[in-house]
Amino acid sequence: MPKPQVNAAVVEILETMLAAAKAGHVSALWVVYRMGEEDYDSAYETNDLDDMLVQVRTEIINTQSALGALHAAPRPN
């Protein structure tokens, strides 16, 4: 099994969030976490729960579409 590669963009997001939390600027946290072969391609933050729910639903739709395309792709013999 190959060793996982560090994703610098994800590390940077997490370090920024940790610094904000340590400074007392984080009162709530919503996370959309995606792990896979492709690069993490989105991060979103807001203090508006309804806005965050729209973003979470969008991520779900995007992931379902990507998985559908993956399963529909021809497989090599």
Side-chain angles (χ1 to χ4, degrees):
M1 176 178 228
K3 181 179 177 185
Q5 298 296 311
V6 173
N7 185 322
V10 171
V11 171
E12 182 179 351
I13 290 168
L14 294 171
E15 287 176 342
T16 299
M17 290 171 57
L18 177 59
K22 286 182 175 181
H25 299 299
V26 177
S27 60
L29 179 66
W30 297 276
V31 176
V32 176
Y33 176 82
R34 185 173 11 167
M35 184 174 79
E37 296 296 322
E38 70 283 344
D39 290 334
Y40 184 82
D41 62 5
S42 64
Y44 191 81
E45 65 181 73
T46 181
N47 60 0
D48 182 323
L49 180 57
D50 289 333
D51 189 31
M52 180 55 73
L53 290 174
V54 169
Q55 296 303 318
V56 169
R57 290 177 184 124
T58 299
E59 286 297 325
I60 290 168
I61 291 167
N62 289 342
T63 300
Q64 288 172 329
S65 296
L67 287 172
L70 179 65
H71 292 297
R75 295 179 187 242
N77 292 333

